[in-house]
């Protein structure tokens, strides 16, 4: 049992309207049940999600947060516009995005883009994954899954890992509930977050800086599934999220 | 650029004193710069970290928590004995272990072991990784890294992923600080948690239940490094851990 992770090399700098599926299929021969893993930065660039800092007018909340934290109010406004709740303001803004993803700066990115511009993640990464996936399947004639990835920090530890923010034809969580362990005991709770593990594996080849590998294929492990799937399935329900409750507790005290 | 993840198959059920490095080398020919990824359960079994529930006498704190939560006081005692702080008691016990790892139940495991027994993780997983790594290098004559892995849940999302809990000859965090992005801008903060991404990749083959693949080799990506490294490097310093502060805030209120 084995799998490979293969970087799709020499993908050019991406601009609005670029046809990512064609660029991918020109550079690698896809096979059935390949998992095509695509960095959210190139998805956002192809979708034209680039905005100028100077075009952003900070609202009242952004100005207040800027006054408290010393950060650029226009950047803060960009983050707030994409967030449904702010949990931490400094030293970094931790928010839950409108799409339900909890991360720093709502995924708004100042790096890997020209100075003075911001790159916003897709509004609906599952929908972006679906469009890319359907086109990749059409061009290649193969059954494919797609994962759109970002890099996020995590609780309790420093450092960032690749994570899944949008999916197509893959279940994000593999459930082992009801299966037996090595001693025949029924496993009570095991849900393996395979989409995030695949995203992390791909990120090992993607690199954060000038390495510039925005697409990685994982081949040899079968998670292909027809039918609707959504990354929302991975987000913890609010009433079961004790860490959010803790962060809200702190905000009331401050 | 590519890498492979290869399951080491047919490793037998492990018992105290079993020679894991020999069992591995008999089943796969290792190559220079291979990363040998080993599930903490088999490391713990080989080290004899198995205890009987009925031999555990719950202390006062364990009895109090058991009264509040309805859980087995002896199991709680096992968790407390390995923890330096408890952040959440129910519906699961979230603790920081003596080794500095924040996880559920201090890694104490009731599954994949006979009924009535508990499996404790190694007291010092870096030290276990060093012993295994040195023996693997001796037997194979190759330069090797080792990662000992567990599966953990995470904040804000359901599901578990493979994570690194002990390392040998690999830096757990790859630092990109000071490198440039695609536009020549200096990256300010990027620390990639490669040991955890590798652990997650390996977990895709390991399986949680009766799949029973406790050892995976990752080959083709070079993270080999001589000299001392420690997984402790990944643990967020307490004074910079806002999530822990939030959980403590909740505990004061309850």
């Amino acid at each position: 049992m084995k799998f490979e992770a293969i970087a799709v090399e020499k993908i050019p700098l991406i601009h609005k309207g670029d046809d990512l599926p064609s660029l991918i299929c020109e550079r690698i021969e896809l096979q059935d049940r390949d998992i095509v893993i695509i960095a959210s930065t190139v998805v956002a660039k192809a979708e034209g999600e680039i905005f100028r800092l100077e075009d952003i007018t900070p609202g009242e909340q952004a100005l207040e947060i800027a006054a408290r934290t010393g950060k650029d109010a226009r950047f803060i406004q960009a983050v707030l516009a994409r967030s449904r709740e702010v949990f931490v303001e400094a030293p970094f803004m931790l928010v839950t995005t409108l799409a339900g993803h909890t991360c720093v700066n709502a995924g708004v990115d100042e790096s890997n883009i020209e100075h003075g511009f911001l790159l916003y993640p897709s509004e609906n990464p599952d929908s972006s994954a679906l469009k890319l996936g359907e086109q990749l399947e059409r061009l290649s004639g193969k059954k494919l899954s797609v994962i759109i990835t970002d890099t996020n920090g995590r609780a309790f530890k420093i450092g960032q890992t690749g994570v899944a923010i949008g999916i197509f034809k893959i279940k994000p969580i593999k459930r082992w509930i009801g299966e037996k362990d090595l001693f025949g005991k029924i496993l009570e709770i095991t849900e393996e977050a395979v989409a995030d593990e695949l995203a992390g594996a791909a990120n090992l080849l993607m690199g954060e800086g000038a390495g510039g590998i925005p697409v990685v294929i994982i081949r040899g492990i079968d998670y292909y599934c027809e039918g609707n799937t959504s990354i929302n399935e991975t987000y913890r329900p609010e009433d079961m999220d004790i860490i959010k409750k803790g962060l809200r507790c702190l905000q009331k005290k401050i």
Side-chain angles (χ1 to χ4, degrees), chain A:
Chain A
M1 228 181 19
K2 58 183 265 191
F3 69 83
E4 295 178 289
I6 306 160
V8 179
E9 310 219 37
K10 298 190 169 58
I11 288 191
L13 276 181
I14 297 298
H15 302 94
K16 181 173 179 176
D18 281 352
D19 180 353
L20 273 171
S22 293
L23 290 168
I24 294 168
C25 291
E26 286 159 10
R27 287 160 175 74
I28 189 164
E29 190 168 337
L30 292 169
Q31 298 178 11
D32 269 339
R33 296 165 197 281
D34 274 355
I35 304 165
V36 183
I37 304 187
I38 308 173
S40 67
T41 45
V42 296
V43 176
K45 284 177 180 177
E47 290 179 358
E49 294 276 2
I50 292 175
F51 298 86
R52 291 155 61 105
L53 257 176
E54 65 188 44
D55 292 338
I56 300 172
T57 306
E60 203 179 302
Q61 188 184 6
L63 290 166
E64 285 172 13
I65 295 174
R68 280 196 289 271
T69 63
K71 291 185 193 162
D72 185 329
R74 300 165 303 172
F75 182 86
I76 295 171
Q77 180 60 36
V79 173
L80 292 178
R82 306 184 74 72
S83 304
R84 67 180 190 217
E85 190 169 352
V86 178
F87 290 96
V88 178
E89 288 181 2
F92 50 81
M93 285 187 75
L94 183 70
V95 304
T96 296
T97 68
L98 300 172
H101 184 54
T102 303
C103 60
V104 171
N105 293 336
V108 176
D109 196 358
E110 287 184 291
S111 65
N112 290 316
I113 195 170
E114 292 168 62
H115 193 71
F117 287 83
L118 297 180
L119 184 64
Y120 291 2
S122 326
E123 287 215 26
N124 186 336
D126 280 335
S127 159
S128 302
L130 184 141
K131 290 195 199 94
L132 291 165
E134 288 185 336
Q135 183 61 358
L136 283 160
E137 287 193 319
R138 256 191 301 271
L139 286 175
S140 65
K142 306 295 181 188
K143 297 185 195 310
L144 303 168
S145 310
V146 171
I147 299 174
I148 295 177
T149 62
D150 199 355
T151 50
N152 281 181
R154 55 267 178 82
F156 313 124
K157 295 190 202 176
I158 67 168
Q160 303 192 321
T161 62
V163 300
I165 62 167
I167 53 174
F168 169 76
K169 289 196 177 170
I170 176 169
K171 290 198 172 78
I173 302 279
K174 179 174 182 175
R175 288 187 161 77
W176 300 85
I177 292 173
E179 297 204 24
K180 293 185 183 168
D181 73 12
L182 291 161
F183 285 83
K185 287 185 284 178
I186 302 288
L187 287 174
E188 290 189 359
I189 308 174
T190 309
E191 301 170 311
E192 185 181 353
V194 295
D196 286 319
E197 290 179 322
L198 289 160
N203 199 42
L204 291 164
L205 293 177
M206 282 180 170
E208 299 273 348
I213 300 278
V215 183
V216 170
I217 308 304
I218 291 188
R219 175 173 293 168
I221 196 165
D222 184 11
Y223 290 117
Y224 180 76
C225 101
E226 302 272 358
N228 291 333
T229 56
S230 170
I231 198 65
N232 293 349
E233 207 184 307
T234 61
Y235 300 138
R236 194 174 281 282
E238 293 277 322
D239 58 342
M240 295 180 60
D241 195 324
I242 197 158
I243 286 182
K244 284 188 178 181
K245 289 178 185 173
L247 293 172
R248 289 186 193 113
C249 180
L250 271 185
Q251 286 174 314
K252 288 179 200 134
K253 291 192 65 176
I254 293 167

